[in-house]
Amino acid sequence: MLTTDDIVYLKGVGPSKAKVLAAELDIHTAGDLLEHIPYRYIDRSVMSTVANLTEDNALAVLRGTVNNMQTASLGPRRERLTVDFHDGTGTIQLVWFAGTKWARERLKPNVEYLVIGKPTLYNGSWQISHPELEPYSSVGDDRHPLLPVYNTTEKMKQHGLGTRALARITESLLANLAPVAETIPTDIIQKFRLMGRDQALRAIHYPDSPQQLEAARTRLKFEELFFLQLDYQWAHSERQLHSEGRIFPHVGDCFNRFYNEKLPFPLTGAQKRVVREVREDMRSGHQMNRLIQGDVGSGKTLVALMCMLLALDNGCQACLMAPTEILATQHYQTFVRMLDGIGIRTELLIGSVRPTEKRRIKAGMMSGEVQIVIGTHALIEDDVHFRDLGLVVIDEQHRFGVEQRSKLWSKATPPPHILVMTATPIPRTLAMTLYGDLDCSIIDELPPGRHPVKTYHRTEPRRPLVFNFLKQQIDAGRQVYFVYPLIHESEKMDLKDLEDGLEMVQNYFPRPHYATSMVHGQLTAEGKAFEMERFKQGKTQIMVATTVIEVGVDVPNATVMVIENAERFGLSQLHQLRGRVGRGGEQSYCILMTKDNLSYTSKERIRTMCSTTDGFEIAEADLRLRGPGDIQGLQQSGVLDLKLASIVDDEPLVRATRDEVHDLLASDPTLAAHPLLARYIEHSKNKMLWGKIS
Ligand code: ADP
Ligand code: MG
């Protein structure tokens, strides 16, 4: 038997079962079956007994017989089945509320069963509901101290493919299997003392001991992560080798005059470092494809501006694309202010610009007179052309789809250098995996003089105190935000929540002494800009908004952010929102209003927010609480397909495999000395990678 053999030829399978395996678990070959790895093992040497069950006994494995079957009706088509289970040390009850028919047919007196389940104390006696159960005799003899337990589906069970059946099929497969070829280079196997692939695949199903199981797991995790790294890093080095890039050798008037005459404050060390990294990229001869990660308020805009000036100094145009009109407008104003007197023509291209004005701007972009354009999606429309676009900056990149982003690079040949910026930090372990493929700069330093935002959790009864505090802040000349989540499917209902909120706020903060702005998604662009501007200029002290203000908005005089229904927001969103305050010299506050009884994860999120302002720590917590499946941007990354390894728990292995693949590609860039790996790359399905699309 070879791992590539069709599953249908396996002992105990046959055509109909093969069909079910293919449909339910995508298992087609013997190799696929080997990769269907047990999620648990039954250790028969440490079976529980009824006499020594304990409350924290997470999962009990018992051996004994049943009698005294009873059925009680619980209403139409609902019943409860109970049976007494004895193992010589005591008696417990097994209970079924569903699948009672199945259980009734299976349960026989005088048969010894293996029972697995979670015992609970009910009215002072033990019971297990919905245990796994099967005749002990079918569990096999004592050859295997640890028995594998596999994931199966209802349909599989109906076709005789329960976990025990899978175990038996796998056992006979292993007995007849030719040695499985090694895939990892020998020197790496030796360096990490990894178990060989053949032994690991056998031991992961039928381990001789817990120690051997652990070694097999480590080996297989290493392998998964190793090939994931190989995909990423190979793609990265391919791009380095084959991408043609504009060469920007000069630092000229634009950059120097700005730096010497206009820079409003000294750059932070991190900002300087990142500008240097970008400059290196832009003169390397390869197309730059760099991600700048910097926490909210770390000063990414300034870095973007300076990089754009470098492009201008080399005779090219530069553009910046932002996800919302508010943000684009704000960037535009910042740029115009900072570049005042240098004589650089800068324009704003957003949907709400008047048609004649748009035509004028587009003509200027085509002729090259317009040197810097800031805009929204309006920038990627088909009738937008540049004379010579040399650098594209994308702010808050996760807000844009892959296609939208890629449209921008097609607006010049050779393609422009790309800089993407995000304030959503990616957890370190993920970064290590993903940035095999993407160059990444981190602005890990905030401008001096910032006080970390103080964050508090409050519930409804304390609202009057919260409002009193807001009054003090406003009377001291500060401004405050109220943010409401988008809860309902319909924007109308969300608007209703917001309007109720506005009414409550205005009751506490009556006109004319206080003035309130409201911004939400239903407003026109002009309406939004108008309200934002009033708030920015201090004409209103209170801003009531939905999450449209989440990204980028910069009003340094705002010192309090009240987040309503904070339990409804994800961690990274809360962090983004909080970043709207603490931007000036004053101490700022974030108040998380929630209902009273919160779920565990909501509580953890709130606790995390109150205990740290570090975006990376928050990202790690987010990853722990949600798992990688929900992290933005990871869908096409491959880390979600990992079978054994976990990006969250296996950081040392992630690190080790990243370094090994790095060294390997450094010494053998074409994989000429590693034909097996070269073959793997050729067939690799992970063609869609971040670096190509970001
Ligand atoms: P973000 O990284 O969140 O986009 P911004 O670029 O909006 O942050 O910058 C946040 C604020 O910090 C702005 O008001 C900006 O003018 C200010 N800022 C940026 N760099 C510095 C610096 N080196 N020193 C002091 N303030 C700075
Ligand atoms: Mg920003």
Side-chain angles (χ1 to χ4, degrees), residues 236-516:
H236 182 250
S237 70
E238 278 294 282
R239 197 179 61 235
Q240 294 284 311
L241 288 174
H242 300 302
S243 75
E244 186 191 357
R246 298 148 182 279
I247 301 181
F248 291 169
H250 307 296
V251 181
D253 262 3
C254 293
F255 187 93
N256 284 330
R257 282 193 60 196
F258 174 77
Y259 196 83
N260 296 324
E261 298 167 23
K262 295 288 173 189
L263 198 62
F265 22 63
L267 295 179
T268 63
Q271 284 173 318
K272 277 188 202 160
R273 188 186 68 239
V274 173
V275 172
R276 254 199 319 271
E277 285 166 351
V278 169
R279 183 162 147 58
E280 284 308 313
D281 281 356
M282 294 201 301
R283 54 181 190 192
S284 72
H286 305 299
Q287 185 203 11
M288 173 173 73
N289 204 353
R290 183 170 287 276
L291 173 69
I292 297 184
Q293 274 198 82
D295 218 334
V296 275
S298 61
K300 293 185 290 296
T301 315
L302 191 56
V303 170
L305 172 59
M306 292 177 25
C307 298
M308 290 164 87
L309 295 176
L310 282 172
L312 264 51
D313 277 337
N314 290 274
C316 289
Q317 295 161 291
C319 78
L320 188 159
M321 183 161 80
T324 64
E325 298 209 341
I326 291 183
L327 254 190
T329 307
Q330 184 183 286
H331 282 321
Y332 173 73
Q333 290 165 349
T334 306
F335 275 36
V336 167
R337 197 178 65 236
M338 290 212 190
L339 296 175
D340 180 46
I342 302 190
I344 292 172
R345 189 162 156 208
T346 306
E347 295 285 358
L348 176 68
L349 187 66
I350 54 181
S352 57
V353 168
R354 269 183 227 91
T356 45
E357 175 75 357
K358 252 189 210 156
R359 272 197 296 280
R360 193 181 59 76
I361 297 172
K362 285 180 190 171
M365 288 162 66
M366 192 121 83
S367 74
E369 278 162 67
V370 173
Q371 292 160 285
I372 290 180
V373 195
I374 292 159
T376 52
H377 304 77
L379 284 173
I380 54 180
E381 275 163 23
D382 288 337
D383 63 342
V384 173
H385 303 283
F386 292 83
R387 188 179 66 83
D388 190 13
L389 180 63
L391 172 66
V392 169
V393 181
I394 298 180
D395 197 15
E396 309 296 345
Q397 56 97 15
H398 60 276
R399 289 282 185 117
F400 292 98
V402 171
E403 244 167 83
Q404 291 173 323
R405 289 182 259 154
S406 68
K407 269 197 174 165
L408 264 180
W409 0 141
S410 61
K411 292 196 181 291
T413 355
H417 292 298
I418 313 289
L419 199 57
V420 294
M421 307 196 292
T422 180
T424 309
I426 296 173
R428 270 171 270 263
T429 37
L430 281 178
M432 272 194 284
T433 319
L434 301 176
Y435 302 157
D437 181 42
L438 195 65
D439 293 310
C440 179
S441 297
I442 297 181
I443 307 185
D444 50 3
E445 184 184 350
L446 292 180
R450 297 270 173 85
H451 307 285
V453 178
K454 290 187 176 158
T455 303
Y456 302 99
H457 176 205
R458 295 287 179 265
T459 50
E460 214 44 51
R462 296 178 74 180
R463 185 175 287 279
L465 295 175
V466 172
F467 277 47
N468 270 344
F469 174 70
L470 297 185
K471 268 197 176 133
Q472 287 167 20
Q473 288 283 309
I474 295 173
D475 292 345
R478 306 281 100 77
Q479 288 164 286
V480 305
Y481 293 102
F482 279 86
V483 182
Y484 285 81
L486 300 172
I487 300 176
H488 306 289
E489 290 292 308
S490 104
E491 291 186 42
K492 267 212 187 97
M493 286 169 75
D494 283 327
L495 196 56
K496 173 85 174 58
D497 283 354
L498 194 67
E499 276 163 352
D500 291 349
L502 180 72
E503 201 181 308
M504 178 185 66
V505 169
Q506 283 179 335
N507 277 339
Y508 270 88
F509 300 95
R511 281 177 291 202
H513 190 62
Y514 299 97
T516 306

Side-chain angles (χ1 to χ4, degrees), residues 462-648:
R462 296 178 74 180
R463 185 175 287 279
L465 295 175
V466 172
F467 277 47
N468 270 344
F469 174 70
L470 297 185
K471 268 197 176 133
Q472 287 167 20
Q473 288 283 309
I474 295 173
D475 292 345
R478 306 281 100 77
Q479 288 164 286
V480 305
Y481 293 102
F482 279 86
V483 182
Y484 285 81
L486 300 172
I487 300 176
H488 306 289
E489 290 292 308
S490 104
E491 291 186 42
K492 267 212 187 97
M493 286 169 75
D494 283 327
L495 196 56
K496 173 85 174 58
D497 283 354
L498 194 67
E499 276 163 352
D500 291 349
L502 180 72
E503 201 181 308
M504 178 185 66
V505 169
Q506 283 179 335
N507 277 339
Y508 270 88
F509 300 95
R511 281 177 291 202
H513 190 62
Y514 299 97
T516 306
S517 284
M518 180 161 86
V519 169
H520 54 84
Q522 302 276 81
L523 289 182
T524 61
E526 286 103 25
K528 274 185 226 164
F530 177 76
E531 287 297 326
M532 274 315 301
E533 198 50 39
R534 290 208 314 149
F535 186 64
K536 217 169 173 171
Q537 290 177 3
K539 289 181 183 156
T540 59
Q541 300 95 26
I542 303 169
M543 167 63 77
V544 177
T546 56
T547 47
V548 289
I549 61 148
E550 177 189 343
V551 282
V553 170
D554 190 23
V555 179
N557 190 48
T559 54
V560 189
M561 160 133 323
V562 181
I563 303 180
E564 300 283 351
N565 297 310
E567 72 274 16
R568 306 238 183 193
F569 290 93
L571 260 180
S572 68
Q573 210 177 10
L574 287 172
H575 180 60
Q576 287 277 320
L577 285 169
R578 181 169 60 183
R580 300 307 111 219
V581 294
R583 311 192 130 229
E586 304 294 332
Q587 176 62 55
S588 293
Y589 306 87
C590 176
I591 298 163
L592 306 172
M593 297 295 300
T594 73
K595 60 174 186 179
D596 232 342
N597 36 24
L598 298 176
S599 70
Y600 168 77
T601 48
S602 300
K603 245 186 238 156
E604 277 300 296
R605 282 202 297 269
I606 303 288
R607 199 188 55 71
T608 305
M609 286 300 294
C610 292
S611 67
T612 180
T613 54
D614 180 330
F616 285 95
E617 247 178 70
I618 288 169
E620 302 273 342
D622 201 21
L623 182 64
R624 269 199 315 277
L625 288 173
R626 294 199 297 170
D630 285 325
I631 305 271
Q632 268 163 342
L634 290 189
Q635 275 61 33
Q636 60 244 3
S637 68
V639 300
L640 302 183
D641 300 334
L642 293 172
K643 288 199 166 76
L644 269 177
S646 150
I647 286 300
V648 183

Side-chain angles (χ1 to χ4, degrees), residues 57-86:
N57 203 346
L59 208 63
V61 182
L62 299 163
R63 176 181 181 174
T65 55
V66 299
N67 67 1
N68 191 23
M69 185 185 297
Q70 294 192 10
T71 311
S73 170
L74 300 175
R77 307 178 95 261
R78 297 213 341 111
E79 58 176 9
R80 187 177 76 134
L81 178 76
T82 58
V83 71
D84 289 341
F85 172 89
H86 322 267

